[in-house]
Amino acid sequence: MLLGVLFVLGIVNFAVHKAVLESDHPLLDTLPRPFTANGGRLSLAVEFLVLLASMMLSAHGWPAAAWGYALYSALNAITGWLLLDDRV
């Protein structure tokens, strides 16, 4: 069950991440070029590694990793909303 919740949170994180990358927000210009080049493939790979680490740790008896990823997801959602709604 826990891995299913993490998987769904991962899908949401990827969707928000991709939407922010495609928004061409001026704040993206402050990021290092490799993170935004090629459609943000490097930053999406880092996003995948964070999800994978969280799922692996949670599957091996570290439920705190799931709580950490849930907090990370909430912060991503808030940041994505702020950037996509032009509040920043």
Side-chain angles (χ1 to χ4, degrees), residues 39-72:
R41 286 187 183 165
L42 179 61
S43 61
L44 289 170
V46 170
E47 185 83 40
F48 173 74
L49 291 175
V50 171
L51 173 61
L52 181 64
S54 176
M55 291 178 86
M56 294 287 285
L57 288 170
S58 295
H60 288 33
W62 289 55
W67 285 106
Y69 193 76
L71 177 64
Y72 170 75

Side-chain angles (χ1 to χ4, degrees), residues 9 12 14 23 39-40 49 51 75 81-84 86-87:
L9 286 175
V12 171
F14 276 101
S23 73
L49 291 175
L51 173 61
L75 293 174
W81 171 68
L82 290 172
L83 291 176
L84 295 172
D86 287 329
R87 296 183 184 266

